[in-house]
Amino acid sequence: MTRDACDLDWETAAAMLAWQFDLGVTEGIGDAPLNRYELEAAVPKPAPVPDTAAASTPAAESDPVAEARAMAQAAPDLDALAEAVAAFPHCELRRGARNTVFSDGRANARVMIIGEAPGREEDQAGRPFVGRAGQLLDRMLAAIGLARDTPDPQRAVYITNVIPWRPPQNRDPRPDEVAMMLPFLERHVELAAPDLVVVVGNIAAKAVLGQTGITRLRGTWGQGLGLPVMPMCHPAYLLRNPIAKREAWADLLEIQARLR
Ligand code: URA
């Protein structure tokens, strides 16, 4: 169906927009409408691209987790690790993302925060936690004197995610995707060497502590990757459930007390 945009009344236009939103369309990429059914007939399908990574990799190394571990362990510092993550060819999320979102904040901070995966804003900016949830995270950290943009290592935080690429429609990362990116996260924590880790949300808690059920786990110190780990509810959850902010405040005070 083609229809001149000028024919539409406000309600119809809003309903059509809402329908596209329901289908998962998250952004407009052109001003003029395109009939993609016509385009499909007119444009020849591209020839399949040979998987050079798989072709040049010996059979013994084609296990993505083993390959991730080898690449991560070979990285001598955080810059090299960031390059290794960006070059890792086996996670299909990489193909749909604009940017590899590696980290933000100060690498020698005492506190390292681990989230789930970038959302739309993070994918665009190439930095973790810059959207609404990230802004809330910044305010939460500021409430106990911490910040990602301070030069003072005592007050600084370092932030990353379990997954460095935005999953489509912000779906949860799959267990196989987490498993193949985990060796990079482990090396990331090793190289950043914080005093303690804060995991926000179930995906990060599962990756670092091996447990889920964040509303039950939150507020109690655990041990993961050789460090004390505080599980907290994800700031996106706190935006949807403001009542849970009271518990998050108690968790923040725990962190503050531990840093003293
Ligand atoms: N949610 C996350 O878990 N990480 C981000 O970087 C942004 C939103």
Side-chain angles (χ1 to χ4, degrees):
M1 179 181 74
T2 56
R3 198 169 167 180
D4 194 320
C6 304
D7 290 348
L8 299 180
D9 58 40
W10 190 91
E11 278 81 12
T12 313
M16 289 176 79
L17 198 58
W19 178 72
Q20 292 196 22
F21 190 74
D22 286 345
L23 288 180
V25 176
T26 53
E27 58 194 285
I29 54 171
D31 293 335
L34 283 180
N35 185 337
R36 297 203 175 271
Y37 293 103
E38 274 171 15
L39 282 179
E40 200 170 320
V43 178
K45 283 208 166 44
V49 180
D51 187 347
T52 47
S56 63
T57 308
E61 285 175 357
S62 65
D63 170 2
V65 178
E67 209 173 311
R69 195 170 299 122
M71 287 173 76
Q73 285 307 318
D77 54 35
L78 288 169
D79 287 345
L81 186 68
E83 278 175 28
V85 168
F88 183 65
H90 298 295
C91 184
E92 69 185 37
L93 296 175
R94 175 177 177 241
R95 265 175 257 145
R98 281 187 199 188
N99 281 301
T100 300
V101 177
F102 184 69
S103 70
D104 198 20
R106 273 191 74 104
N108 60 348
R110 296 183 66 198
V111 178
M112 182 161 179
I113 297 175
I114 302 177
E116 177 179 321
R120 184 166 158 267
E121 284 94 343
E122 289 79 17
D123 181 41
Q124 275 171 347
R127 289 170 58 215
F129 282 105
V130 296
R132 274 186 74 220
Q135 288 156 23
L136 175 59
L137 181 65
D138 284 342
R139 291 198 297 278
M140 290 162 63
L141 295 170
I144 54 166
L146 301 178
R148 62 172 112 184
D149 54 4
T150 171
D152 175 0
Q154 294 300 313
R155 297 184 47 235
V157 295
Y158 185 60
I159 306 182
T160 191
N161 283 307
V162 175
I163 299 286
W165 298 292
R166 180 194 182 195
Q169 267 86 58
N170 296 338
R171 67 158 168 79
D172 281 355
R174 291 195 315 255
D176 63 309
E177 292 162 346
V178 173
M180 71 177 85
M181 298 316 294
L182 194 54
F184 291 110
L185 181 68
E186 289 168 353
R187 184 74 178 140
H188 203 159
V189 174
E190 196 176 14
L191 290 170
D195 290 348
L196 61 89
V197 167
V198 179
V199 289
V200 294
N202 263 322
I203 299 289
K206 176 86 171 112
V208 174
L209 294 169
Q211 297 179 67
T212 51
I214 194 69
T215 50
R216 179 177 44 83
L217 294 173
R218 58 138 288 277
T220 303
W221 288 99
Q223 191 74 15
L225 309 176
L227 291 167
V229 177
M230 172 56 71
M232 288 186 66
C233 287
H234 196 285
Y237 174 85
L238 299 177
L239 285 171
R240 292 192 305 270
N241 302 277
I243 194 105
K245 285 184 184 167
R246 181 201 291 248
E247 292 169 343
W249 174 236
D251 304 347
L252 289 167
L253 292 178
E254 264 296 326
I255 295 165
Q256 189 179 44
R258 185 99 182 200
L259 289 171
R260 284 189 184 134

